[in-house]
Amino acid sequence: MNFLKAEWRKLAIINYEINPGILIKYLPEGTELDFYNGKCYISLVGFMFLNTRLLGLPIPFHRNFEEVNLRFYVRKKEGNEWKRGVVFIKEIVPKPALSFVANSVYKENYKTMPMKNLMHKKDNELLIKYSWKDKTWHSIEITAENTPLQMEDNSEFEFITEHYFGFTKNENKTSEYEVYHPKWEYYLVKNHRLKINFKKIYGNDFEYLKHQKPISVMLAEGSEIMVKTKKYLSKVINSKK
């Protein structure tokens, strides 16, 4: 069943290399870290949720909104195939009802904060900015060329955007849901600016990101997406001892 339909647009993606050991305690049961060219990635992603429908129904005043999340990349073996997905450290949205539904249904770590966005086109240039506020404002800002380009096979951009499952750690269970979308186009990034207190927003484990230079910065166009209803993957317990 399709739980959610929407558009994800203008995804500002800030990628960092991270020590894999930091992420072990966040790994859902049955998954393992996914690497690109031997490097472990964590990404800060800001984007627009547009034309959102839950179970086929639009929700008044909750159709269009910003989201910012911190996520890392995993894979799960199923038969002879690997499912490649993401695990979220935290997802920030602007309305309490969004956090309530996501935390209740998907057991994700959603938080509600005031948010705003800025999208500006001038000549052949795009300016995209996402901001969120606890006691002070934090922001991601990207300037890019306004010409969409096709994804290249085996590229870093493909690795970051072609993880189609979400895995959630919930005590002794792992939940899994699938996201459907076509391959995304991207824009060449010219400049970026970050204003984020990583320790305050994401905790001590991620404080060092404030002082680390991103390994790459991306801007994806996005597309329409569909999210299927989750399923639980019970922890394997050996009861035949």
Side-chain angles (χ1 to χ4, degrees), residues 86-191:
V86 300
V87 176
F88 294 101
I89 300 297
K90 181 179 289 186
E91 295 160 272
I92 299 169
V93 289
K95 296 179 182 291
L98 300 171
S99 295
F100 175 77
V101 171
N103 291 337
S104 299
V105 175
Y106 282 93
K107 306 300 180 184
E108 298 279 8
N109 185 20
Y110 271 75
K111 298 294 182 184
T112 305
M113 296 184 187
M115 300 186 76
K116 59 185 179 180
N117 73 84
L118 173 65
M119 297 194 181
H120 183 64
K121 296 181 181 180
K122 183 179 180 181
D123 299 327
N124 295 318
E125 193 170 88
L126 280 173
L127 172 64
I128 308 296
K129 185 175 182 179
Y130 298 105
S131 305
W132 63 103
K133 182 181 180 182
D134 50 5
K135 292 184 179 180
T136 58
W137 281 100
H138 310 259
S139 62
I140 303 169
E141 181 178 328
I142 287 180
T143 305
E145 295 182 5
N146 189 21
T147 303
L149 301 172
Q150 296 293 318
M151 178 188 297
E152 298 174 5
D153 291 340
N154 302 313
S155 64
E156 183 188 40
F157 181 76
E158 182 184 59
F159 172 81
I160 293 297
T161 60
E162 296 283 284
H163 281 77
Y164 287 104
F165 290 86
F167 296 102
T168 306
K169 183 176 183 177
N170 182 25
E171 296 180 354
N172 66 335
K173 292 182 178 180
T174 294
S175 63
E176 170 193 300
Y177 56 91
E178 189 171 2
V179 180
Y180 293 90
H181 65 74
K183 289 181 179 290
W184 287 339
E185 296 179 320
Y186 69 97
Y187 301 91
L188 284 178
V189 173
K190 300 172 67 175
N191 197 8

